[in-house]
Amino acid sequence: MDALAEIDLNLMCDEAVRDPHTYFGRLREQEPVFWNERHRAWVITRHADLSTALRSSQLTAERISPFTSAVTSAAASDEVDDTFRILEDWLVFKDPPEHTRLRKLVARAFTPTVVRARTEEISRTIRQLVAELDGEADLIREFAYPLPAVIIAQMLGVPPADRDLFKEWSDKLTSLVFGAYGREDRFETAARGMIELRDYLVDLIGQYERHPGDNLISVLLEHEDGDTLSRQELVATCTLLLFGGHETTTNLIGNGMLALLSHPDQLALLRAEPHLIGPAVDELLRYDGPARATVRMVKDPHEIGGRQLSKGDRAFLVNLSANRDPEAFEDPDRLDIERRPTNHLGFGVGIHYCLGAPLARLEGQLSISALVDSYPGLELAADPDTLDWHPTMLSRGLVHLPVRTA
């Protein structure tokens, strides 16, 4: 471990939050698989190792139960207990066969046909928010943050008057799921938000059970090959759709716009050739996507990158580092919207590949296109080096993104 002597092994140190590509790049070069005693976890940073690990049945996504045991003793309450019971039913925290069954039932809500059918509704929402930007604006607070929560609320069938509540509930969940450091009350805050959201969803699900509508809840209530989601599973799935459809898409748009505005040549290319928006979004996911790391637990002892992992160990799979690995991408620190990086790990890989990827791509493409088209003079209103990033272990997102629209 002498190779790491000059590196701060606090994965939430200032450099790791502010400039994680440089920080994890050094780790990838010097010790691509190492045991981090401070965090009591393996840190894995190479693309090839992540690709293997994310597909491996020797690692498990079922990490809520051990986390619950560690947390509830320090933050015990009925609300906290109920919150973790809901999280345990999220399919992202399941292994086969439970994961296989749940994914099959939930995937009905994200088929290409379902997503395409929402394009005009999503475009209308985006145009409305874009039109409200004027002069100097905070692109996170005024656009990238409210947009995904409004869209998933629309898709779930939430009445317009209640959609602001969804943004608040999602914000409370973020501090728990993504591991917000410096928030001593994050468990209690998340629990209050989760219970309020659960109670709201129980009523909404009951409404659409009696009177189905054109929304995802009605789709998820349907039977598939004689099976259907239980009420508990349906509530958990709706909370996951809200959370998964909000935080990561906000950061995709925010990080993506920062990257484009910091690379005028690439922004100009996108303006000149708008058909590149598809590969551009995938390149932005690779270059500085919202997924900082993925957590897995070791189910069976095995070796990765020449290191022996033991049963019960925790592992941080650093997606952000893998997406800048020179063994996988030529000139990886260069933004190139013509690259077409089909092997990036922004949405993961394997059985846990992001179920909402088609929707996230659509929102990213429509949002970035609308901003670029609507404001030819759009520019940063702050030095990129002075911008603040949320100090979370598993995600990467800006606190604010000040811009001038003209």
Side-chain angles (χ1 to χ4, degrees), residues 90 152 169-178 197 238-249:
W90 282 14
I152 198 63
W169 288 327
S170 181
D171 192 43
K172 291 176 180 177
L173 291 181
T174 296
S175 64
L176 177 61
V177 178
F178 279 150
L197 174 59
C238 289
T239 65
L240 172 59
L241 295 182
L242 167 63
F243 177 78
H246 188 193
E247 175 74 9
T248 52
T249 307

Side-chain angles (χ1 to χ4, degrees), residues 26-41:
R26 293 205 310 275
L27 290 179
R28 185 182 60 239
E29 181 179 343
Q30 297 178 30
E31 290 284 354
V33 180
F34 81 97
W35 175 256
N36 186 305
E37 186 62 34
R38 180 188 179 100
H39 294 278
R40 302 294 300 166

Side-chain angles (χ1 to χ4, degrees), residues 80-347:
V80 171
D81 290 344
D82 287 350
T83 293
F84 280 109
R85 275 192 285 271
I86 294 171
L87 292 177
E88 285 175 348
D89 280 323
W90 282 14
L91 67 88
V92 295
F93 298 138
K94 296 285 190 181
D95 288 341
E98 293 85 357
H99 174 269
T100 306
R101 171 183 166 268
L102 286 173
R103 189 176 178 98
K104 179 180 179 181
L105 291 169
V106 176
R108 298 171 296 171
F110 291 97
T111 65
T113 301
V114 170
V115 172
R116 281 197 302 269
R118 299 287 174 177
T119 299
E120 181 50 41
E121 180 182 52
I122 293 171
S123 295
R124 186 165 56 249
T125 301
I126 288 171
R127 290 195 299 268
Q128 289 170 351
L129 283 173
V130 167
E132 294 171 5
L133 301 172
D134 184 35
E136 292 205 4
D138 179 354
L139 208 55
I140 300 298
R141 181 175 59 84
E142 298 175 47
F143 180 75
Y145 177 71
L147 175 67
V150 169
I151 288 173
I152 198 63
Q154 288 173 344
M155 293 179 72
L156 287 170
V158 174
D162 294 341
R163 288 172 188 164
D164 282 345
L165 291 171
F166 268 57
K167 289 180 284 187
E168 296 173 13
W169 288 327
S170 181
D171 192 43
K172 291 176 180 177
L173 291 181
T174 296
S175 64
L176 177 61
V177 178
F178 279 150
Y181 284 69
R183 289 281 301 274
E184 294 182 0
D185 64 340
R186 65 189 177 108
F187 301 114
E188 294 80 3
T189 298
R192 285 193 297 272
M194 179 69 91
I195 300 311
E196 291 170 7
L197 174 59
R198 178 201 64 188
D199 293 345
Y200 181 92
L201 287 169
V202 167
D203 290 340
L204 192 65
I205 290 166
Q207 174 186 327
Y208 288 124
E209 192 170 38
R210 295 186 297 271
H211 307 287
D214 179 20
N215 56 66
L216 298 188
I217 288 178
S218 296
V219 172
L220 293 170
L221 280 164
E222 297 173 358
H223 283 72
E224 176 78 12
D225 293 337
D227 193 10
T228 190
L229 295 168
S230 70
R231 185 57 53 91
Q232 181 176 323
E233 290 169 343
L234 183 51
V235 169
T237 296
C238 289
T239 65
L240 172 59
L241 295 182
L242 167 63
F243 177 78
H246 188 193
E247 175 74 9
T248 52
T249 307
T250 292
N251 294 341
L252 165 59
I253 296 168
N255 298 3
M257 286 306 302
L258 174 61
L260 286 172
L261 292 169
S262 301
H263 294 81
D265 62 319
Q266 295 299 293
L267 181 57
L269 177 59
L270 184 58
R271 290 190 195 281
E273 301 188 42
H275 66 277
L276 289 175
I277 187 60
V281 165
D282 272 291
E283 171 67 349
L284 294 169
L285 281 160
R286 182 202 70 82
Y287 182 79
D288 198 9
R292 191 172 187 261
T294 302
V295 179
R296 290 288 184 266
M297 304 295 293
V298 179
K299 183 164 63 174
D300 299 308
H302 65 289
E303 185 179 291
I304 293 182
R307 305 301 299 276
Q308 185 66 33
L309 280 60
S310 300
K311 181 177 180 179
D313 287 349
R314 183 169 58 163
F316 290 134
L317 313 179
V318 188
N319 308 62
L320 177 147
S321 171
N323 283 335
R324 294 282 191 102
D325 187 344
E327 293 297 317
F329 304 98
E330 182 179 354
D331 197 5
D333 294 324
R334 178 172 61 90
L335 180 67
D336 177 7
I337 65 170
E338 296 181 286
R339 185 189 298 268
R340 301 180 187 273
T342 56
N343 58 334
H344 73 77
L345 300 178
F347 289 128

